Amino acid sequence: MHDVRTVRAPSMLRLAAASLAGTAIEFYDFFVYGTAAALVLGPLFFPTFSQMAGTLAAFATFGVGFVARPLGSVLFGHIGDRRGRRPVLVASLLLTGASTVAVGCVPTYDTIGVMAPVLLLVLRFLQGLGLGGEWGGAVLLTAEHAPAERRALWSSFPQVGPALGFLLANGVMLALSASLSEAQFAAWGWRVPFWMAGALAAVGLWLRSSLAESPSFLEIDDHARVPLAEVVRDHWRLVLLTAGALAVGYAIFYAVTTWSLAYATERLGVSRTVMLTCIMAAVVVKGALTPLAALLGDRFGRRPMCLAGCAAAVLWMFPTVALLATGRPLPMFLGFLGALLAFVAMFGVIAAYLPELYEPRVRCTGAAVGYNLGGVLGGALTPIAATALAEHGGRVPWGVGAYLTGIALLSLGCFALLPETRPVPVGVVEPAAG
């Protein structure tokens, strides 16, 4: 057994800040692709398709990243459960950063033909592979250092990272979109945010270089030989429930940030600048309220917050698409804000909730696989399904509202079947595994 007394406990603020910065950088890499897919990748990499088919094809390459994320959680989860959480943070950041920079260097279809979308697909897969390991490593390192009574609060810092990454990605896209002509943006402007990922990855690696290993990992006497096998054998029901529970959060987020961007600019004639501004404003509020949701989770429990967020999502999906269909900035912003408030009620506490559901020896694999399978269910399919449903509807895409409401009902049922974990310390909870 490792002697945990020799391990100096890091400052929680420094640890949380490093985790936040890392997740912000990795999610910047992931989100910048989604924005580019909504705005420009269709005509550049699928020029022989119609506008709608090109958008669907671009979103399909976007979805490949989500398919890769569970595989990344298996690969990096194995490392995290066998070798420690800290190595996962470095390896995942390197992989995601390098593949993102490479996306910015891929020639278009006009230059190399069909190899262009093929390369795009491969690099998007590598992005997803890296991000699949990032969440588990960053969240677990923070959650396992945090005091039990404030675990949700400290664990919410990595959860703010996706909002910051999204704002950075879309802020850069917005600045380029506003300052460049359409021709300049299509020729080279869209590549700049991808190239920036290299510098951001270097900053993230520097911030993470001095982090200490998780005390919960160091206390494990008998590490799982094949963590995935144990998860599948002993916790399969828990993995499926967490995946189903988290699907609505992904569906909401990518409906707001990716599908609505393409829908409003292509179908409603709203300018990219207006849409990016509306979405970013809603994401700012979402990011700011994440720690508050976490505090409520420490006070009232993880499961009640998740159930409340799911119920709000069930009620708000139809109003969201109706407000989007107005094409007016204020109603669209209010629709997005309501959807993201439902999202944050759930995802503000998830970083504490998921680690508490799994035993330490398989926690990195189990929590990350459940989290990223939810991404496949909710994130990979939503832009594609919503685009197809909206194509066959009227001005108000009620079919999209029905689709999102259905996912919210599924997640509500899954959360109802999960146990509460507050305030038992990590490692003590006996989850309701299958």
Side-chain angles (χ1 to χ4, degrees), residues 17-108:
S19 295
L20 184 154
T23 53
I25 291 165
E26 290 221 43
F27 275 90
Y28 164 88
D29 296 350
F30 203 72
F31 289 148
V32 78
Y33 189 101
T35 306
L39 295 178
V40 74
L41 295 187
L44 292 178
F45 288 87
F46 304 96
T48 60
F49 292 15
S50 67
Q51 183 182 51
M52 199 269 290
T55 300
L56 281 171
F59 281 154
T61 62
F62 174 75
V64 165
F66 286 98
V67 175
R69 281 172 67 167
L71 299 177
S73 64
V74 170
L75 171 63
F76 289 104
H78 184 89
I79 297 170
D81 285 325
R82 293 283 299 164
R83 303 298 178 189
R85 311 341 184 184
R86 189 172 173 273
V88 170
L89 299 183
V90 175
S92 62
L93 188 59
L94 278 171
L95 178 59
T96 309
S99 55
T100 305
V101 172
V103 169
C105 301
V106 175
T108 62

Side-chain angles (χ1 to χ4, degrees), residues 176-244:
L176 290 166
S177 178
S179 59
L180 299 177
S181 67
E182 291 283 345
Q184 290 173 322
F185 185 78
W188 58 269
W190 68 272
R191 298 182 183 273
V192 173
F194 291 93
W195 296 336
M196 286 177 56
L200 293 173
V203 172
L205 290 171
W206 174 74
L207 287 171
R208 290 179 165 183
S209 61
S210 61
L211 294 181
E213 185 52 80
S214 155
S216 292
F217 174 80
L218 295 174
E219 288 176 332
I220 299 171
D221 287 321
D222 183 23
H223 294 281
R225 292 187 62 185
V226 185
L228 179 62
E230 286 196 25
V231 168
V232 171
R233 184 186 69 230
D234 300 330
H235 305 286
W236 63 269
R237 180 175 179 270
L238 182 58
V239 170
L240 293 179
L241 284 176
T242 52

Side-chain angles (χ1 to χ4, degrees), residues 215-282:
S216 292
F217 174 80
L218 295 174
E219 288 176 332
I220 299 171
D221 287 321
D222 183 23
H223 294 281
R225 292 187 62 185
V226 185
L228 179 62
E230 286 196 25
V231 168
V232 171
R233 184 186 69 230
D234 300 330
H235 305 286
W236 63 269
R237 180 175 179 270
L238 182 58
V239 170
L240 293 179
L241 284 176
T242 52
L246 298 180
V248 64
Y250 284 101
I252 289 172
F253 193 84
Y254 289 101
V256 168
T257 61
T258 303
W259 167 74
S260 67
L261 181 59
Y263 177 79
T265 54
E266 294 175 6
R267 291 284 298 276
L268 304 180
V270 181
S271 75
R272 324 190 261 254
T273 302
V274 168
M275 279 306 297
L276 287 171
T277 302
C278 289
I279 294 169
M280 288 171 64

